[in-house]
Amino acid sequence: MFLNLVLLLILIVFILHNVAKARKYTLFSGWHNLFVPLYSVVLFFITMKRETGDLQLLAWLTPIALFAGWLETRDVRIRESTSRKTGKRIYEMRRGIPMQRAGH
């Protein structure tokens, strides 16, 4: 029970981190962007009891998660810049729910 709580708290911290950085340009990190969804799936399968209620919950949450992912990636912006430290080309991205702009 304690392990499940710790795993869930770790997931909440990662989700809050993603929400806090949603509308800002950040360095692209494939590892970080894949870790949260994969961790969520693994955590679900670790904690589920293989009962009908858990399978129904999975059936309900899957389309909701896909819709949330679609919303988050719908307004992705990628920009190329140069690192101040190394002078190498870097890519930054901004993601988040698109906002309606006046006049558009």
Side-chain angles (χ1 to χ4, degrees):
M1 184 73 171
F2 178 73
L3 178 61
N4 290 347
L5 178 62
V6 170
L7 293 173
L8 186 60
L9 288 174
I10 292 170
L11 177 63
I12 290 170
V13 167
F14 279 116
I15 290 172
L16 291 176
H17 179 263
N18 277 353
V19 169
K21 300 229 177 205
R23 302 291 299 173
K24 301 173 186 169
Y25 278 99
T26 57
L27 286 176
F28 180 77
S29 169
W31 179 85
H32 180 76
N33 293 327
L34 287 175
F35 180 76
V36 173
L38 290 176
Y39 185 80
S40 301
V41 170
V42 169
L43 183 62
F44 180 82
F45 284 112
I46 287 173
T47 58
M48 77 181 278
K49 297 176 183 129
R50 310 288 193 280
E51 295 174 358
T52 305
D54 285 341
L55 295 176
Q56 289 173 345
L57 180 63
L58 177 63
W60 278 99
L61 290 179
T62 299
I64 293 170
L66 291 172
F67 180 70
W70 175 75
L71 277 178
E72 188 172 294
T73 59
R74 194 171 135 202
D75 191 36
V76 168
R77 302 273 189 244
I78 298 175
R79 72 178 177 189
E80 181 181 336
S81 60
T82 305
S83 172
R84 293 180 187 179
K85 293 179 183 176
T86 63
K88 293 183 179 179
R89 188 178 330 169
I90 58 172
Y91 296 95
E92 297 174 311
M93 74 173 194
R94 184 192 73 183
R95 62 184 183 276
I97 297 172
M99 296 181 170
Q100 294 294 328
R101 293 176 187 95
H104 294 294

